[in-house]
Amino acid sequence: MLPGLRAGFTLDARLEADSEHLVWLGLCELRIMNDSRWPWLILVPQRPDVEELHELKPLDQAMLTFEIDIAAKALKKATGCSKINIGALGNIVRQLHIHVVARSEGDAGWPGPVWGHGLREPYQRARLHRIAETIRAAL
């Protein structure tokens, strides 16, 4: 483990409840959002009390960019989607986390944003595990 990773870090309860652990990357925990409408990954940098990208040290910023790239490429490969959306809002969950969402024309909210569109539709457990394994293999 890299120095400082996970020391004093606690995952926000809402992220914990709405997503499932996929894998530990160098800086981030990679999670999958439990919403079957869109394949949706979340990267959570393991730094305590960080809410904004600019609060990360420069090396962590570079590492986060690298890990976002890895996650986006894996999600694109695993899903064959036509568009990858990447965002860091933090208006509700203040803890810094990055959304990487696979989008395709004709999906539930196309072309609008995924936020605020209907209610979350959790995966069936077996399907969630299959998608998680496909994404892990694509990493």
Side-chain angles (χ1 to χ4, degrees):
M1 176 174 11
L2 297 174
L5 284 182
R6 298 185 213 126
F9 180 84
T10 304
L11 182 64
D12 181 273
R14 185 158 175 176
L15 291 175
E16 179 81 34
D18 291 348
S19 62
E20 300 276 335
H21 173 81
L22 276 181
V23 67
W24 293 103
L25 301 172
L27 173 67
C28 297
E29 177 183 6
L30 183 62
R31 301 182 65 85
I32 185 168
M33 182 67 122
N34 191 3
D35 189 339
S36 63
R37 297 173 299 164
W38 303 281
W40 183 338
L41 301 177
I42 299 174
L43 292 97
V44 185
Q46 301 295 287
R47 296 292 189 243
D49 305 318
V50 174
E51 295 182 357
E52 306 289 349
L53 286 167
H54 66 267
E55 294 174 354
L56 289 172
K57 294 179 181 174
L59 184 58
D60 285 346
Q61 290 175 6
M63 189 67 170
L64 178 57
T65 299
F66 176 73
E67 291 179 6
I68 290 168
D69 182 67
I70 289 171
K73 287 176 179 172
L75 189 59
K76 177 99 172 168
K77 181 178 180 182
T79 66
C81 65
S82 57
K83 181 75 175 98
I84 295 285
N85 291 174
I86 298 172
L89 302 174
N91 296 342
I92 295 173
V93 174
R94 299 301 297 252
Q95 182 175 64
L96 179 59
H97 61 288
I98 312 301
H99 300 269
V100 180
V101 186
R103 300 297 305 274
S104 295
E105 290 185 35
D107 72 25
W110 186 266
V114 296
W115 293 277
H117 179 82
L119 298 175
R120 184 169 63 97
E121 297 174 14
Y123 285 101
Q124 293 178 346
R125 292 308 285 172
R127 183 165 177 236
L128 178 64
H129 289 293
R130 279 194 308 275
I131 290 170
E133 285 305 313
T134 302
I135 293 168
R136 280 188 197 100
L139 288 169

